[in-house]
Amino acid sequence: MAIESAAPVAMSEADRAKEIAQLKAGKTAAMANLIDEAETPRAEEYVLPGGEAAQEEVSIEILPEQVDEFTCVSCFMVRHRTQLAREENGQKFCSECEG
């Protein structure tokens, strides 16, 4: 039964340089095979679910905080007054944060 040792093997500088060059050459050849140039245009056209297409322009109307709403100082979400759990020194906390 052979026993492997974790001790470093003595190598000459020439052998070490040759081995490093072989490893680098093999790595670049293997990595070159991973990229398929024919798929690049197709990948650029693909839009992930929930992503926005570059040609679309979005218009959103932003409303100010209403009379029956408050902003939680913990999560900074605008909540309806029915979700007010606690008010302390003018700071309001929602029921989810106080949970």
PDB file of all heavy atoms in Angstrom, residues 3-4 7 13 20 23 26-27 30 35-36 38 52 63 73 82 85 89-90 95 98:
ATOM      1  N   ILE A   3       1.751   5.179   0.465  1.00  0.00           N
ATOM      2  CA  ILE A   3       1.352   6.269   1.349  1.00  0.00           C
ATOM      3  C   ILE A   3       1.792   7.578   0.712  1.00  0.00           C
ATOM      4  O   ILE A   3       2.957   7.741   0.360  1.00  0.00           O
ATOM      5  CB  ILE A   3       1.994   6.117   2.746  1.00  0.00           C
ATOM      6  CG1 ILE A   3       1.531   4.810   3.395  1.00  0.00           C
ATOM      7  CG2 ILE A   3       1.656   7.312   3.612  1.00  0.00           C
ATOM      8  CD1 ILE A   3       2.220   4.506   4.708  1.00  0.00           C
ATOM      9  N   GLU A   4       0.833   8.491   0.563  1.00  0.00           N
ATOM     10  CA  GLU A   4       1.168   9.795  -0.003  1.00  0.00           C
ATOM     11  C   GLU A   4       1.613  10.727   1.105  1.00  0.00           C
ATOM     12  O   GLU A   4       1.042  10.737   2.187  1.00  0.00           O
ATOM     13  CB  GLU A   4      -0.038  10.393  -0.718  1.00  0.00           C
ATOM     14  CG  GLU A   4      -0.379   9.661  -1.989  1.00  0.00           C
ATOM     15  CD  GLU A   4      -1.478  10.362  -2.760  1.00  0.00           C
ATOM     16  OE1 GLU A   4      -1.679  11.563  -2.549  1.00  0.00           O
ATOM     17  OE2 GLU A   4      -2.121   9.696  -3.557  1.00  0.00           O
ATOM     18  N   ALA A   7       4.610  16.291   2.169  1.00  0.00           N
ATOM     19  CA  ALA A   7       5.883  16.999   2.104  1.00  0.00           C
ATOM     20  C   ALA A   7       6.149  17.429   0.662  1.00  0.00           C
ATOM     21  O   ALA A   7       5.856  16.699  -0.279  1.00  0.00           O
ATOM     22  CB  ALA A   7       7.007  16.110   2.599  1.00  0.00           C
ATOM     23  N   GLU A  13      14.435  24.477 -10.668  1.00  0.00           N
ATOM     24  CA  GLU A  13      13.742  25.673 -11.165  1.00  0.00           C
ATOM     25  C   GLU A  13      13.260  25.485 -12.591  1.00  0.00           C
ATOM     26  O   GLU A  13      12.180  25.932 -12.955  1.00  0.00           O
ATOM     27  CB  GLU A  13      14.660  26.896 -11.065  1.00  0.00           C
ATOM     28  CG  GLU A  13      14.854  27.416  -9.656  1.00  0.00           C
ATOM     29  CD  GLU A  13      13.558  27.901  -9.032  1.00  0.00           C
ATOM     30  OE1 GLU A  13      12.736  28.550  -9.720  1.00  0.00           O
ATOM     31  OE2 GLU A  13      13.355  27.622  -7.838  1.00  0.00           O
ATOM     32  N   ILE A  20       4.688  24.914 -14.639  1.00  0.00           N
ATOM     33  CA  ILE A  20       3.800  26.088 -14.577  1.00  0.00           C
ATOM     34  C   ILE A  20       3.351  26.486 -15.971  1.00  0.00           C
ATOM     35  O   ILE A  20       2.182  26.798 -16.193  1.00  0.00           O
ATOM     36  CB  ILE A  20       4.501  27.253 -13.848  1.00  0.00           C
ATOM     37  CG1 ILE A  20       4.625  26.924 -12.351  1.00  0.00           C
ATOM     38  CG2 ILE A  20       3.726  28.556 -14.044  1.00  0.00           C
ATOM     39  CD1 ILE A  20       5.436  27.913 -11.567  1.00  0.00           C
ATOM     40  N   LEU A  23       0.670  24.079 -17.099  1.00  0.00           N
ATOM     41  CA  LEU A  23      -0.600  24.336 -16.422  1.00  0.00           C
ATOM     42  C   LEU A  23      -1.305  25.559 -17.004  1.00  0.00           C
ATOM     43  O   LEU A  23      -2.522  25.546 -17.224  1.00  0.00           O
ATOM     44  CB  LEU A  23      -0.377  24.523 -14.915  1.00  0.00           C
ATOM     45  CG  LEU A  23      -0.009  23.265 -14.141  1.00  0.00           C
ATOM     46  CD1 LEU A  23       0.382  23.632 -12.716  1.00  0.00           C
ATOM     47  CD2 LEU A  23      -1.158  22.276 -14.158  1.00  0.00           C
ATOM     48  N   GLY A  26      -2.747  24.721 -20.493  1.00  0.00           N
ATOM     49  CA  GLY A  26      -3.940  23.887 -20.384  1.00  0.00           C
ATOM     50  C   GLY A  26      -5.131  24.669 -19.880  1.00  0.00           C
ATOM     51  O   GLY A  26      -6.265  24.465 -20.310  1.00  0.00           O
ATOM     52  N   LYS A  27      -4.913  25.599 -18.972  1.00  0.00           N
ATOM     53  CA  LYS A  27      -5.993  26.404 -18.408  1.00  0.00           C
ATOM     54  C   LYS A  27      -6.597  27.316 -19.478  1.00  0.00           C
ATOM     55  O   LYS A  27      -7.805  27.417 -19.597  1.00  0.00           O
ATOM     56  CB  LYS A  27      -5.465  27.228 -17.238  1.00  0.00           C
ATOM     57  CG  LYS A  27      -6.513  28.040 -16.547  1.00  0.00           C
ATOM     58  CD  LYS A  27      -5.919  28.788 -15.352  1.00  0.00           C
ATOM     59  CE  LYS A  27      -6.964  29.638 -14.683  1.00  0.00           C
ATOM     60  NZ  LYS A  27      -6.419  30.403 -13.572  1.00  0.00           N
ATOM     61  N   ALA A  30      -8.610  25.256 -22.020  1.00  0.00           N
ATOM     62  CA  ALA A  30      -9.878  24.787 -21.463  1.00  0.00           C
ATOM     63  C   ALA A  30     -10.874  25.937 -21.335  1.00  0.00           C
ATOM     64  O   ALA A  30     -12.068  25.769 -21.574  1.00  0.00           O
ATOM     65  CB  ALA A  30      -9.639  24.149 -20.097  1.00  0.00           C
ATOM     66  N   ILE A  35     -16.465  29.621 -23.953  1.00  0.00           N
ATOM     67  CA  ILE A  35     -17.150  30.765 -24.543  1.00  0.00           C
ATOM     68  C   ILE A  35     -17.567  30.438 -25.962  1.00  0.00           C
ATOM     69  O   ILE A  35     -16.740  30.112 -26.797  1.00  0.00           O
ATOM     70  CB  ILE A  35     -16.254  32.015 -24.521  1.00  0.00           C
ATOM     71  CG1 ILE A  35     -15.872  32.350 -23.086  1.00  0.00           C
ATOM     72  CG2 ILE A  35     -16.954  33.188 -25.187  1.00  0.00           C
ATOM     73  CD1 ILE A  35     -14.816  33.414 -22.969  1.00  0.00           C
ATOM     74  N   ASP A  36     -18.863  30.510 -26.223  1.00  0.00           N
ATOM     75  CA  ASP A  36     -19.383  30.263 -27.562  1.00  0.00           C
ATOM     76  C   ASP A  36     -19.744  31.611 -28.167  1.00  0.00           C
ATOM     77  O   ASP A  36     -20.730  32.233 -27.785  1.00  0.00           O
ATOM     78  CB  ASP A  36     -20.597  29.344 -27.496  1.00  0.00           C
ATOM     79  CG  ASP A  36     -21.095  28.940 -28.868  1.00  0.00           C
ATOM     80  OD1 ASP A  36     -20.441  29.302 -29.871  1.00  0.00           O
ATOM     81  OD2 ASP A  36     -22.130  28.256 -28.944  1.00  0.00           O
ATOM     82  N   ALA A  38     -20.962  32.379 -30.957  1.00  0.00           N
ATOM     83  CA  ALA A  38     -22.208  32.402 -31.721  1.00  0.00           C
ATOM     84  C   ALA A  38     -23.407  32.740 -30.833  1.00  0.00           C
ATOM     85  O   ALA A  38     -24.431  33.224 -31.315  1.00  0.00           O
ATOM     86  CB  ALA A  38     -22.423  31.055 -32.399  1.00  0.00           C
ATOM     87  N   GLU A  52     -36.050  45.137 -17.143  1.00  0.00           N
ATOM     88  CA  GLU A  52     -36.652  46.110 -18.046  1.00  0.00           C
ATOM     89  C   GLU A  52     -35.899  46.114 -19.365  1.00  0.00           C
ATOM     90  O   GLU A  52     -34.685  46.044 -19.394  1.00  0.00           O
ATOM     91  CB  GLU A  52     -36.603  47.510 -17.434  1.00  0.00           C
ATOM     92  CG  GLU A  52     -37.444  47.661 -16.196  1.00  0.00           C
ATOM     93  CD  GLU A  52     -37.381  49.076 -15.652  1.00  0.00           C
ATOM     94  OE1 GLU A  52     -36.967  49.987 -16.372  1.00  0.00           O
ATOM     95  OE2 GLU A  52     -37.737  49.239 -14.491  1.00  0.00           O
ATOM     96  N   LEU A  63     -46.849  59.928  -5.197  1.00  0.00           N
ATOM     97  CA  LEU A  63     -47.769  60.692  -4.352  1.00  0.00           C
ATOM     98  C   LEU A  63     -47.107  61.004  -3.017  1.00  0.00           C
ATOM     99  O   LEU A  63     -46.377  60.166  -2.474  1.00  0.00           O
ATOM    100  CB  LEU A  63     -49.041  59.880  -4.096  1.00  0.00           C
ATOM    101  CG  LEU A  63     -49.851  59.499  -5.328  1.00  0.00           C
ATOM    102  CD1 LEU A  63     -50.992  58.570  -4.937  1.00  0.00           C
ATOM    103  CD2 LEU A  63     -50.383  60.734  -6.009  1.00  0.00           C
ATOM    104  N   VAL A  73     -40.044  54.424  11.202  1.00  0.00           N
ATOM    105  CA  VAL A  73     -38.646  54.850  11.349  1.00  0.00           C
ATOM    106  C   VAL A  73     -37.689  53.656  11.376  1.00  0.00           C
ATOM    107  O   VAL A  73     -36.480  53.835  11.280  1.00  0.00           O
ATOM    108  CB  VAL A  73     -38.434  55.721  12.616  1.00  0.00           C
ATOM    109  CG1 VAL A  73     -39.204  57.016  12.520  1.00  0.00           C
ATOM    110  CG2 VAL A  73     -38.801  54.962  13.872  1.00  0.00           C
ATOM    111  N   THR A  82     -53.548  51.997  10.321  1.00  0.00           N
ATOM    112  CA  THR A  82     -53.980  50.785  11.023  1.00  0.00           C
ATOM    113  C   THR A  82     -52.803  49.881  11.361  1.00  0.00           C
ATOM    114  O   THR A  82     -52.933  48.986  12.193  1.00  0.00           O
ATOM    115  CB  THR A  82     -54.998  49.998  10.171  1.00  0.00           C
ATOM    116  OG1 THR A  82     -54.405  49.685   8.909  1.00  0.00           O
ATOM    117  CG2 THR A  82     -56.273  50.796   9.967  1.00  0.00           C
ATOM    118  N   ALA A  85     -48.011  50.452  15.370  1.00  0.00           N
ATOM    119  CA  ALA A  85     -47.885  49.628  16.563  1.00  0.00           C
ATOM    120  C   ALA A  85     -47.486  50.462  17.773  1.00  0.00           C
ATOM    121  O   ALA A  85     -47.969  50.229  18.880  1.00  0.00           O
ATOM    122  CB  ALA A  85     -46.859  48.524  16.340  1.00  0.00           C
ATOM    123  N   ASN A  89     -41.867  59.529  21.124  1.00  0.00           N
ATOM    124  CA  ASN A  89     -41.180  60.792  20.860  1.00  0.00           C
ATOM    125  C   ASN A  89     -41.356  61.244  19.408  1.00  0.00           C
ATOM    126  O   ASN A  89     -40.415  61.708  18.761  1.00  0.00           O
ATOM    127  CB  ASN A  89     -39.683  60.686  21.181  1.00  0.00           C
ATOM    128  CG  ASN A  89     -39.435  60.382  22.645  1.00  0.00           C
ATOM    129  OD1 ASN A  89     -40.192  60.799  23.512  1.00  0.00           O
ATOM    130  ND2 ASN A  89     -38.380  59.644  22.921  1.00  0.00           N
ATOM    131  N   GLY A  90     -42.536  61.058  18.873  1.00  0.00           N
ATOM    132  CA  GLY A  90     -42.815  61.461  17.516  1.00  0.00           C
ATOM    133  C   GLY A  90     -42.348  60.475  16.455  1.00  0.00           C
ATOM    134  O   GLY A  90     -42.553  60.684  15.268  1.00  0.00           O
ATOM    135  N   SER A  95     -46.409  47.630  12.752  1.00  0.00           N
ATOM    136  CA  SER A  95     -46.643  46.358  13.446  1.00  0.00           C
ATOM    137  C   SER A  95     -45.688  45.257  12.968  1.00  0.00           C
ATOM    138  O   SER A  95     -45.351  44.361  13.729  1.00  0.00           O
ATOM    139  CB  SER A  95     -48.098  45.915  13.255  1.00  0.00           C
ATOM    140  OG  SER A  95     -48.411  45.842  11.883  1.00  0.00           O
ATOM    141  N   GLU A  98     -42.373  45.783  14.876  1.00  0.00           N
ATOM    142  CA  GLU A  98     -42.540  45.521  16.301  1.00  0.00           C
ATOM    143  C   GLU A  98     -42.862  44.072  16.572  1.00  0.00           C
ATOM    144  O   GLU A  98     -42.690  43.606  17.675  1.00  0.00           O
ATOM    145  CB  GLU A  98     -43.640  46.427  16.871  1.00  0.00           C
ATOM    146  CG  GLU A  98     -43.243  47.877  16.935  1.00  0.00           C
ATOM    147  CD  GLU A  98     -42.109  48.152  17.876  1.00  0.00           C
ATOM    148  OE1 GLU A  98     -42.211  47.789  19.075  1.00  0.00           O
ATOM    149  OE2 GLU A  98     -41.098  48.699  17.428  1.00  0.00           O
TER     150      GLU A  98
END
